Amino acid sequence: MKVQCLDRQNSPQNCFLIKLRQLTILVNCPLVISSLLPSNQDDHDQQQETQTQIPDFAAVLSSYVERQKMLVEDPVGQSNMPSEATCVFSIPDLSLVDIHAIDCVLLTGTKHMLGLPFLTEYLGYKGRILATESSIEFASQLMEELVLYHGQTTSSASRDTPSTSMAKTGSSASDDGWRSIYTLRDARSCINKIQAVRFRENITLFSTMRIIPYSAGHSLGSANWSLEAGYEKVAILSSSSLSTDIHPAPCDLGVLTDAKVVIFSDLVNNGNYDGMEQDDIESLSASKNKLFSYVGRAIRSRHNVIFPLCTSGIVYDLIPEIRQYLATMGIEVGGEDQSQLTMYMASPVADKSLQYSNICGEWMTDQHQDMMYVPEEPLIHGELLAKGGLQVIKSMDGSMIGKQKIKEPCIVFTGDYRNLSKGPVKWFINRWKSSSLNVCIFIEPDTPPLHVLAQSITRNCEMTLLRIPIDHRLTLGQVHELLERHCAHTAAAVHVLFPKFQGPDQWTNYGNMKWKTYESGEVITIDLQHQWERIAVTEKLAKSMSIRPFPLDEGKFYAPFSGILSLHDNRLELSPLLSVRHHELIELHKKRTLFSEPRMKQLVDRLNQLGIPSSTLDIEVGESSVILQLPSDMNARIIVSHQSTRIEASDEKTRSFLRDVVLHNIVELA
């Protein structure tokens, strides 16, 4: 088995190429988004800081090849830095991968499949793609939002015609994999090629591998995957959560049962990890308390709060938690009278996200699923939408947003959080930038540092900027507990793979674990010591079997049978004998087969009775076997181990004689 991480250097490691049983599986196709800041900074120091933060870009590109969505250099050599911040995109490094050799693509969650249109529409992948139903829908919404923010809704008439200008640094953006965003038409075409699956559904790949998705507990539809081929099982865990206070279905740890290989990715990056002493749950709780205190302070002072974050996922939990916290302060969220607070969600896909999430009850916790059978919506934002306490702003145009009556103070959830120089988030920051009592809070774990975000915000902004990551993903402490509970006590060795910067060196000698760390581009070979294979028995052969008691062990039975082993569609099958030659071979094999292990003392005594003195016998005791060497004139020996008894002789007469001796010893023991 081989595992290769395909993510580029300095990118989150979530994409893997797995080769098992001559099958090639691609796990995830994420999209890395980098913001290019404008050149007209307020001062020279800010310009130098920008260049320090983004070392991979240097000059301007004025065109790109839309067929490949790869950036190319300006043909006339002109260089004009963009007037406002913009974004470029990259996918994992597939340059050395034969796209057509990939047998299946597995997607673990919404955010890890945003680069898929590049794979299917521009690189030509036409194979099978598997993801859960809700992950597909939310990915479709996020792709649409990305296109509306950063690209075009349709492909241009001529795919080879340059159409936009992009900025980069470095010698060649195309060498670094940076691209412009795909089109809306291509995104929709890609989504239509994904096969929807459900948790615990068994999918068979070429009759060789069984693929099963398990709930990851991180977001609606997020899945961990198991690959099962024969007695080999590989568990893939990405973006998982053990939190019990969020809305998705709990993490299904059945994915770890009997796993021979466990691959972890997208873990919480704790920085300096010092074992089990860090209380991650308490840290998460502290972050939420800090978040709520800033929200309460701003609203009580009649000011406003902006949350630039994804329109799906954690926002569904954040809305009821903020509502409950404000209720303890005597502030009600609702639209029934002017004294009540109103929340807004500003994104072109906000309405789709809010409406669709409330019909996904089967992907939620048991408590939320029970609400499907009563006249209540599973998530509280459905009630707020009906009462006007939560309102949707669909337009990205600032002039259109300004025409909508916005009741202040309020809380606003915007869409794309990576670029603050366009869309609704820009309009609201400009509206409230003059007061430091207004707050903009970034809670997404992958949000850049505040000093980088501040460069995308308009000048003279007095608004308070905060970065308070709310991260429910697995920590190394939780990973340790999972492995100890589900994998440490198995008989076979378990290979566990971690990202290199998170590899737990202190666990090297723990249990039967074999730790390995991976980094971008590295190929890891794992020897699974394949010894057993599943074989199916035909119905006709099964009917011919007769069960007999085992000679030396009461209560045990065996069923001797003979058949022809055939391989068809990667499936081994035993069928009845068809020819006389087959019967002759089986009969010869039966004469050479023993069902039990003889005891050496009784065997030596029996040979002594038959005229072979024990003094002429040479017994060698090894670690796993005992060798009984007979006199040199017989040129034979008997090798006894726990797994087999083997007779080696120079002629058939001697071998037959020794076989009768061994059998006589077994019969006497019986």
Side-chain angles (χ1 to χ4, degrees), residues 296-309:
R297 186 183 309 169
I299 298 301
R300 185 177 289 278
S301 64
R302 307 295 296 173
H303 287 78
N304 309 281
V305 182
I306 303 174
F307 284 100
L309 79 166

Side-chain angles (χ1 to χ4, degrees), residues 64-267:
Y64 66 92
V65 179
E66 191 172 359
R67 183 182 303 277
Q68 297 179 356
K69 288 293 179 185
M70 293 294 295
L71 298 176
V72 295
E73 294 186 4
D74 188 335
V76 296
Q78 298 178 354
S79 121
N80 299 311
M81 291 300 290
S83 59
E84 65 176 14
T86 187
C87 290
V88 289
F89 308 84
S90 71
I91 61 173
D93 187 3
L94 301 173
S95 58
L96 299 180
V97 177
D98 183 359
I99 300 298
H100 303 291
I102 299 174
D103 297 296
C104 185
V105 176
L106 304 180
L107 304 170
T108 60
T110 299
K111 291 187 177 180
H112 296 158
M113 54 195 289
L114 297 182
L116 197 61
F118 289 113
L119 180 67
T120 61
E121 308 307 310
Y122 306 113
L123 298 180
Y125 176 72
K126 300 184 182 300
R128 204 170 182 183
I129 308 172
L130 303 177
T132 60
E133 179 183 341
S134 53
S135 290
I136 297 172
E137 176 59 30
F138 287 121
S140 176
Q141 296 173 13
L142 291 183
M143 289 178 187
E144 180 180 347
E145 185 182 57
L146 284 173
V147 172
L148 293 176
Y149 268 95
H150 306 290
Q152 301 174 349
T153 56
T154 59
S155 299
S156 59
S158 173
R159 283 185 171 268
D160 296 326
T161 302
S163 59
T164 62
S165 63
M166 305 292 293
K168 77 171 185 86
T169 64
S171 59
S172 173
S174 58
D175 292 342
D176 297 331
W178 295 107
R179 309 161 182 256
S180 62
I181 195 61
Y182 36 73
T183 66
L184 189 56
R185 186 178 69 181
D186 294 331
R188 289 171 177 168
S189 175
C190 168
I191 289 296
N192 291 334
K193 297 173 182 176
I194 306 176
Q195 176 184 344
V197 298
R198 307 190 69 81
F199 293 145
R200 293 271 185 165
E201 180 179 348
N202 284 253
I203 302 100
T204 303
L205 190 62
F206 301 122
S207 301
T208 301
M209 182 179 294
R210 191 166 59 133
I211 303 174
I212 306 174
Y214 295 81
S215 174
H218 182 261
S219 60
L220 289 178
S222 61
N224 295 322
W225 294 85
S226 73
L227 312 179
E228 300 180 15
Y231 288 92
E232 303 164 1
K233 179 178 178 179
V234 180
I236 305 166
L237 283 78
S238 173
S239 296
S240 303
S241 175
L242 298 181
S243 296
T244 57
D245 58 348
I246 54 179
H247 65 281
C251 184
D252 188 347
L253 300 178
V255 68
L256 293 173
T257 304
D258 299 327
K260 300 291 184 64
V261 179
V262 183
I263 303 174
F264 286 101
S265 68
D266 204 30
L267 304 175

Side-chain angles (χ1 to χ4, degrees), residues 494-505:
V494 180
H495 301 265
V496 185
L497 275 62
F498 285 91
K500 189 166 187 178
F501 69 92
Q502 293 175 322
D505 296 333

